[in-house]
């Protein structure tokens, strides 16, 4: 059975393969990293496979060698005959088979619940030379308390105590067998009692559905028959043991963790506010605990440099973020003499930053690729932006851990995140990790549901918004400064969701406004004829520029624009077009059209846009606002189901007097060619874009650096 993915992977395995179990079943494994010390993650099979550990793999594989595997009856491993009996020592023997197949002489074992913790203890007791240590999460030990001893018994017991509002039981064998997905949704809702856990519950349900309900309900042989036998096995464990449990664990009684700590001499860590699966819901805490336990090198004392330093994290979803951040960084250097700015950034932004002479931190090479995730989530001129961000959670966690490693090892006087979602989310979830002033930049506030998503999407966006609002309310000290890239009138007049405040009211209370940030002064780009001559374009011929952002999602629009230009040439044979593909679309895939020039990445593309007679673009904020600032006529076609382009950007452009958006479904080549003829060289009447946004943003940020450094403000 194939494993169903719930988002792009942060890291692909270095090797993978199959181990053969004692009874001939094949056990699928993956190996990540090349560290001297190995960590083996035991699966919670058969209810979940190795993807349960996806938030751990990227971070730990940068420091250790990591082995994960799908247990029998789950994922890509073989399934046992459900008519048989689950062997008592199957999980121990399967783990040893994987260790042998991967050449793992000894390792730290990480397990969760009864499927991972007690097998780890049994393996360590019987094979002490193979186990360096055990991390026990949500400790499951059979027979040591009055509650259920195994899965079969759990179902028989829980159907007496857990009842849904309709009055019929979900945790009983009949319901589990006949309504498996509904049972999984109920069960994992109990496993994740923390608010705002919708994504974790959905992931876990997906993992469960990759298994088989008949295997889940198999009879099991018990590896120990009495409490005394269980405790005796635990007392034979000689390696270090780390026990992690949430104080809201609805699966395993806390007493079991206490017994494991008592019998093994292990260290016990209780996570406040956590449920049964903290490795998924609180991954940063768990990652740090595992890494420390397994002997990750502790960060050296952060030495403060003589010159002030800033670390800037810029979202790679669109090159406009980088251009405005470059403009702000340049202004900051003017206001804070000697300031060194280092960027934690990834392609395609690194191409732009290199051309600008900016310094990219070496750790950037370890970031998980967000742009590839965007490309994978896109369709034909479609990117469901909310779902894309939501399904990027594994990558965001991985990249926060890279950020945390950097700031743990080096001192920066300020951290700046321009829509660095991972930085903002995990700092609020782990406020103790904040050690420097922190600035949040954004050009919109509030996830908004697309009509196509119906009631479910409306619920999810409101839940995500509520989490952000609660984060800020509970930990106002995290954001030393929040800067909105725009003016108060640019904030869309909608609610965050039912029972939540209006977006403008909350934004006015929590943000400072910098105005829009341009990477140029429009006054420098008014002589369009001179710019054309400089760039090699004939000032006497109509010039159309088409661009579709920095991701590959724009390829379909560019093809349609090229087809429209071919039609337009019948009426305007002198017209010229520059088709800008950006860094992620291959220019060679476009068939030649007379008068059309196809380019890849175009540095300072705003100069070409500034001298055109018409631009045809996607609905991204940066490009459209640059066109407004330079008073160029344009057609913009928002991505389908992209809430930011369809709501936030469209609202802002309407305020500036730009034309209404064009729907992609209506923009056939023929209709688009007609619209291009109509708008080519048309007069515009936009509201002016106030200059100086970068300077205002820098003026807001600079006092944080000056206060930390004891510097006098530059006047």
């Amino acid at each position: 059975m194939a494993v169903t993915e719930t988002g792009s992977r942060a890291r692909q395995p270095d090797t993978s393969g199959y181990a053969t179990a004692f009874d001939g079943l094949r056990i699928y494994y993956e190996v990540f990293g090349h560290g001297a010390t190995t960590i083996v993650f035991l699966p919670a099979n058969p209810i979940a496979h190795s993807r349960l550990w996806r938030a751990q793999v990227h971070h730990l594989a940068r420091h250790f060698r990591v082995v994960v595997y799908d247990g029998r009856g789950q994922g890509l491993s073989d399934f046992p005959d459900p008519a048989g009996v689950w062997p008592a020592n199957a999980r121990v023997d399967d783990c040893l088979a994987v260790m042998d197949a991967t050449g793992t002489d000894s390792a730290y074992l990480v397990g969760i619940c009864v499927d991972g913790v007690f097998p780890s203890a049994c393996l360590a007791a019987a094979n002490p030379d193979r186990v360096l240590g055990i991390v026990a999460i949500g400790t499951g030990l059979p027979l040591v308390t009055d509650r259920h001893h195994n899965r079969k018994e759990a179902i028989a017991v829980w159907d007496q105590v857990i009842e849904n509002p309709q009055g019929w039981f979900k945790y009983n064998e009949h319901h589990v067998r006949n309504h498996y997905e509904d049972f999984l949704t109920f069960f994992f809702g109990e496993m994740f009692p923390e608010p705002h856990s919708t994504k974790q519950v959905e992931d876990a349900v997906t993992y469960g559905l990759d298994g088989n309900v008949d295997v889940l309900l198999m009879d099991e042989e018990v590896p120990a028959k009495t409490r005394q036998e269980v405790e005796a096995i635990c007392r034979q464990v000689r390696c270090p043991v780390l026990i992690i449990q949430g104080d809201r664990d609805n699966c395993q009684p806390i007493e079991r963790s206490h017994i494991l700590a008592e019998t093994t001499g292990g260290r016990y860590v209780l996570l406040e506010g956590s449920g049964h699966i903290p490795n998924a819901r609180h991954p940063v805490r768990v990652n740090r605990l595992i890494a420390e336990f397994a002997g990750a090198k502790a960060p050296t004392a952060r030495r403060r440099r003589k010159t002030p330093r800033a670390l800037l994290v810029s979202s790679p979803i669109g090159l406009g973020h980088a251009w405005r951040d470059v403009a702000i960084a340049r202004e900051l250097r003017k206001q804070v003499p000697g300031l060194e700015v280092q960027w934690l950034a990834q392609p395609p932004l690194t191409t732009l930053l290199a051309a600008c002479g900016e310094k990219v931190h070496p750790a950037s090479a370890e970031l998980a690729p967000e742009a590839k995730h965007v490309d994978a989530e896109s369709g034909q001129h479609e990117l469901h932006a909310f779902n894309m961000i939501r399904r990027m959670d594994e990558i965001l966690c991985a990249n926060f851990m890279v950020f945390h490693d950097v700031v743990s090892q080096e001192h920066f006087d300020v951290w700046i995140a321009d829509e660095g979602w991972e930085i903002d989310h995990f700092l609020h979830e782990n406020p103790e990790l904040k050690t420097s002033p922190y600035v949040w930049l954004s050009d919109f506030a509030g996830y908004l549901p697309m009509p196509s998503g119906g009631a479910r999407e409306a619920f999810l966006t409101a839940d995500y918004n509520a989490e952000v609002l609660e984060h800020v309310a509970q930990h106002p000290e995290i954001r030393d400064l929040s800067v909105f890239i725009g003016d108060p009138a640019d904030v869309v007049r909608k609610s965050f969701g039912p029972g939540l405040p209006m977006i403008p009211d909350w934004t006015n209370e929590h943000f400072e406004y910098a105005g829009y940030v341009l990477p140029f002064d429009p006054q420098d780009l008014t002589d369009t004829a001179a710019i054309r001559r400089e760039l090699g374009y004939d000032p006497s011929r109509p010039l159309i520029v088409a661009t579709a952002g920095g991701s590959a999602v724009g390829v379909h629009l560019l093809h349609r624009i090229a087809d429209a230009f071919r039609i337009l040439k019948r009426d305007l044979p002198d017209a010229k077009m520059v088709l800008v593909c950006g860094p992620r679309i291959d220019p060679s895939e476009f068939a030649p059209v007379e008068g059309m020039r196809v380019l890849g990445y175009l540095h300072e593309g705003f100069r070409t846009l500034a001298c055109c007679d018409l631009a045809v673009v996607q609905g991204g904020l940066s490009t459209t606002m640059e066109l407004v600032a330079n008073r160029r006529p344009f057609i913009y076609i928002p991505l389908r189901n992209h809430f930011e382009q369809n709501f936030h950007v469209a609202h802002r452009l309407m305020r500036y007097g730009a034309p209404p958006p064009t729907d992609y479904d209506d923009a056939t080549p023929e209709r688009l060619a007609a619209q291009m003829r109509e708008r080519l060289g048309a007069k515009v009447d936009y509201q002016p874009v106030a200059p100086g946004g970068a300077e205002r943003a820098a003026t807001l940020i600079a006092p944080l650096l000056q206060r930390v450094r004891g510097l006098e403000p530059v006047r």
Side-chain angles (χ1 to χ4, degrees):
M1 179 179 291
V3 172
T4 306
E5 294 291 353
T6 59
S8 298
R9 284 191 163 199
R11 176 172 179 154
Q12 295 297 325
D14 295 299
T15 60
S16 62
Y18 286 89
T20 302
F22 65 96
D23 53 1
L25 294 184
R26 298 179 312 152
I27 307 299
Y28 176 75
Y29 66 79
E30 295 178 339
V31 182
F32 304 81
H34 305 280
T37 301
T38 299
I39 301 175
V40 175
F41 287 90
L42 280 72
N45 67 307
I47 204 167
H49 47 60
S50 59
R51 292 291 281 143
L52 181 69
W53 303 108
R54 66 196 189 99
Q56 281 65 61
V57 168
H58 184 277
H59 171 64
L60 294 174
R62 293 191 295 110
H63 302 277
F64 305 93
R65 178 174 176 264
V66 172
V67 177
V68 299
Y69 63 96
D70 297 339
R72 58 178 58 210
Q74 247 294 353
L76 298 177
S77 292
D78 288 345
F79 284 35
D81 181 358
V85 176
W86 193 282
N89 293 314
R91 292 184 177 87
V92 173
D93 293 335
D94 290 351
C95 184
L96 283 170
V98 169
M99 291 177 69
D100 290 341
T102 57
T104 304
D105 295 330
S106 61
Y108 286 88
L109 305 183
V110 183
I112 187 169
C113 197
V114 70
D115 302 319
V117 174
F118 190 53
S120 296
C122 292
L123 199 160
N127 301 272
D129 57 322
R130 305 296 298 269
V131 183
L132 302 173
I134 295 172
V135 178
I137 301 174
T139 297
L141 292 179
L143 301 165
V144 297
T145 60
D146 292 336
R147 280 182 62 179
H148 51 272
H149 303 153
N150 58 46
R151 184 177 298 101
K152 192 87 170 180
E153 185 175 335
I155 292 171
V157 172
W158 278 38
D159 70 357
Q160 301 172 32
V161 296
I162 298 181
E163 188 175 0
N164 78 349
Q166 286 73 36
W168 52 281
F169 302 107
K170 291 194 175 186
Y171 209 134
N172 63 77
E173 184 168 342
H174 173 81
H175 189 75
V176 172
R177 190 179 298 280
N178 293 284
H179 306 278
Y180 190 39
E181 183 172 356
D182 184 64
F183 158 71
L184 290 171
T185 302
F186 161 76
F187 175 75
F188 284 114
E190 293 290 317
M191 298 304 99
F192 291 104
E194 302 96 328
H196 315 300
S197 298
T198 59
K199 181 58 165 59
Q200 289 79 17
V201 171
E202 286 181 16
D203 289 347
V205 170
T206 300
Y207 304 155
L209 293 174
D210 279 337
N212 184 299
V213 65
D214 293 322
V215 173
L216 181 76
L217 294 173
M218 285 175 66
D219 288 322
E220 295 189 47
E221 293 180 352
V222 182
K225 295 181 172 56
T226 66
R227 171 175 178 163
Q228 289 71 25
E229 289 182 15
V230 173
E231 293 185 355
I233 290 172
C234 293
R235 287 193 177 91
Q236 293 176 51
V237 174
R238 294 290 176 263
C239 64
V241 177
L242 171 65
I243 301 156
I244 303 171
Q245 185 157 22
D247 64 357
R248 300 182 64 188
D249 191 327
N250 290 330
C251 184
Q252 296 297 329
I254 288 179
E255 292 86 346
R256 295 181 180 176
S257 288
H258 293 165
I259 291 169
L260 183 63
E262 178 186 342
T263 54
T264 64
R267 176 192 172 201
Y268 175 64
V269 176
L270 186 66
L271 299 181
E272 183 179 352
S274 175
H276 181 59
I277 313 178
N279 51 294
R281 187 59 183 84
H282 307 282
V284 171
R285 294 191 222 175
V286 173
N287 289 349
R288 295 175 63 229
L289 285 168
I290 295 174
E292 178 189 9
F293 179 71
K297 184 179 179 181
T300 57
R302 300 183 310 156
R303 183 172 58 87
R304 187 170 178 177
R305 306 289 180 92
K306 292 182 178 180
T307 57
R309 304 176 82 217
L311 183 65
L312 207 159
V313 180
S314 186
S315 170
I317 304 174
L319 295 178
H321 290 274
W323 271 119
R324 75 185 183 207
D325 294 335
V326 166
I328 292 170
R330 288 170 174 171
E331 290 292 337
L332 264 177
R333 292 188 187 102
K334 294 178 184 177
Q335 299 189 28
V336 183
L339 175 65
E340 175 190 347
V341 178
Q342 292 212 22
W343 298 69
L344 198 59
Q346 55 184 287
L349 264 61
T350 47
T351 301
L352 184 154
L353 295 174
C356 290
E358 295 289 336
K359 186 175 183 179
V360 176
H361 194 283
S364 298
E366 300 183 16
L367 293 169
E370 293 184 31
K372 288 184 179 179
H373 172 76
V374 174
D375 294 348
E377 291 283 322
S378 63
Q380 183 172 346
H381 198 69
E382 181 169 15
L383 179 64
H384 197 298
F386 172 69
N387 283 348
M388 177 273 294
I389 294 172
R390 189 167 182 262
R391 287 164 52 86
M392 195 163 58
D393 53 335
E394 176 181 343
I395 290 174
L396 294 178
C397 178
N399 290 344
F400 177 82
M401 297 306 303
V402 175
F403 165 84
H404 176 63
D405 282 354
V406 169
V407 299
S408 296
Q409 296 162 6
E410 301 179 44
H411 178 80
F412 293 91
D413 296 291
V414 67
W415 305 335
I416 305 171
D418 186 348
E419 295 183 14
W421 309 108
E422 70 277 26
I423 311 302
D424 201 64
H425 175 80
F426 286 112
L427 281 180
H428 280 93
E429 290 272 293
N430 303 271
E432 72 281 1
L433 300 185
K434 184 198 169 192
T435 56
S436 290
Y438 165 61
V439 178
W440 170 250
L441 306 179
S442 183
D443 56 41
F444 78 94
Y447 296 110
L448 297 175
M450 296 302 298
S452 61
R456 176 62 176 171
E457 187 170 326
F459 165 76
L460 289 175
T461 53
D463 184 68
Y464 269 59
N465 289 334
E467 182 176 42
V468 172
L469 270 59
E470 289 170 18
H471 276 163
V472 173
Q474 292 167 359
H475 295 288
E477 75 282 1
I478 294 297
R479 295 182 182 178
D480 293 271
L481 174 66
S482 298
V483 179
F484 188 88
I485 307 299
D487 300 315
D490 294 325
V491 181
V492 66
R493 293 207 60 79
K494 290 181 179 290
S495 165
F496 283 109
L500 299 174
M502 293 294 292
I503 296 175
D505 297 340
W506 186 86
T507 306
N508 288 341
E509 182 180 350
H510 293 91
F511 279 77
E512 301 290 339
Y513 292 92
Y516 193 71
V517 175
L518 293 166
F520 56 83
D521 186 340
Q523 294 300 316
D524 296 336
L525 301 175
T526 55
D527 191 344
T528 57
I531 297 173
R532 282 204 199 179
R533 285 191 291 269
E534 178 189 337
L535 298 177
Y537 302 113
D538 188 341
S540 66
R541 294 191 174 193
L543 178 63
I544 302 170
V545 178
T547 182
S551 72
V553 69
V555 65
H556 301 98
L557 176 60
L558 291 179
H559 276 291
R560 190 168 291 189
I561 294 171
D563 291 341
F565 181 68
R566 186 180 289 108
I567 296 170
L568 181 69
K569 288 283 286 185
R570 299 170 190 166
D571 298 333
L572 297 172
D574 288 343
K576 299 290 185 181
M577 172 174 277
V578 180
L579 197 75
V580 183
C581 296
R584 298 192 61 77
I585 298 174
D586 185 358
S588 67
E589 74 169 81
F590 292 88
V593 178
E594 177 64 30
M596 183 177 77
R597 181 182 179 189
V598 184
L599 303 176
Y601 171 70
L602 180 62
H603 192 61
E604 294 188 338
F606 52 79
R607 294 178 58 80
T608 303
L609 286 168
C611 67
C612 70
D613 295 300
L614 174 70
V616 188
V617 300
Q618 207 183 85
L621 179 64
S622 300
T623 300
T624 53
M625 284 297 291
E626 289 167 8
L627 290 164
V628 169
N630 288 317
R631 311 192 70 75
R632 298 292 92 196
F634 65 94
I635 299 167
Y636 73 102
I637 306 170
L639 290 167
R640 293 183 289 192
N641 285 318
H642 194 298
F643 76 89
E644 186 183 1
Q645 292 188 7
N646 284 276
F647 294 124
H648 294 281
V649 177
H651 164 79
R652 190 182 301 222
L653 293 177
M654 186 181 301
R655 181 176 92 79
Y656 277 93
T662 296
D663 188 89
Y664 181 76
D665 293 334
D666 295 333
T668 63
E670 294 76 15
R671 291 176 182 173
L672 189 55
Q675 193 176 28
M676 290 163 68
R677 278 194 300 272
E678 177 187 343
R679 293 196 189 173
L680 187 64
K683 292 184 178 180
V684 299
D685 187 23
Y686 305 142
Q687 293 292 322
V689 179
E695 181 181 0
R696 286 190 294 274
T699 300
L700 291 168
I701 298 169
L704 294 175
L705 282 158
Q706 291 157 348
R707 184 170 67 241
V708 168
R709 283 279 167 174
L711 300 173
E712 291 295 325
V714 174
R715 303 187 185 278

